[in-house]
Amino acid sequence: GLVIERIGRRPLLIFGFSSMAVFFSLLTVFLNFQDSVSWVPYLSYICILAVIAGFCSGPGKATTFLQTALIYCINSMQL
């Protein structure tokens, strides 16, 4: 929670989604070439871990705060 409040939700979401897009693209390329070179599957593993790290640093952290903000907005609109 402190990281989100200090850095902000928008930069975390932008960083998380953009890093996930980059590493998913790299993963696609590495999976296509994994039969030709013996060390390319290790790069695929690294890309999978990087995608998980990108999700945890961006959308994974902000999801609960966004849900509570939406629920609060919906409840305040009904009053």
Side-chain angles (χ1 to χ4, degrees):
L2 295 175
V3 173
I4 293 172
E5 293 301 322
R6 184 174 180 111
I7 296 174
R9 291 181 184 99
R10 184 176 293 167
L12 284 175
L13 286 172
I14 290 171
F15 170 75
F17 282 125
S18 61
S19 67
M20 286 171 52
V22 167
F23 286 114
F24 270 130
S25 301
L26 286 173
L27 180 63
T28 303
V29 171
F30 292 149
L31 287 176
N32 284 330
F33 292 115
Q34 75 177 1
D35 294 333
S36 60
V37 183
S38 64
W39 49 268
V40 173
Y42 297 112
L43 294 176
S44 300
Y45 298 142
I46 292 171
C47 283
I48 291 170
L49 293 175
V51 166
I52 293 169
F55 178 78
C56 291
S57 67
K61 287 187 177 195
T63 305
T64 55
F65 288 103
L66 291 175
Q67 288 173 352
T68 55
L70 288 174
I71 290 171
Y72 177 72
C73 289
I74 291 171
N75 286 339
S76 65
M77 290 174 57
Q78 291 176 355
L79 295 175

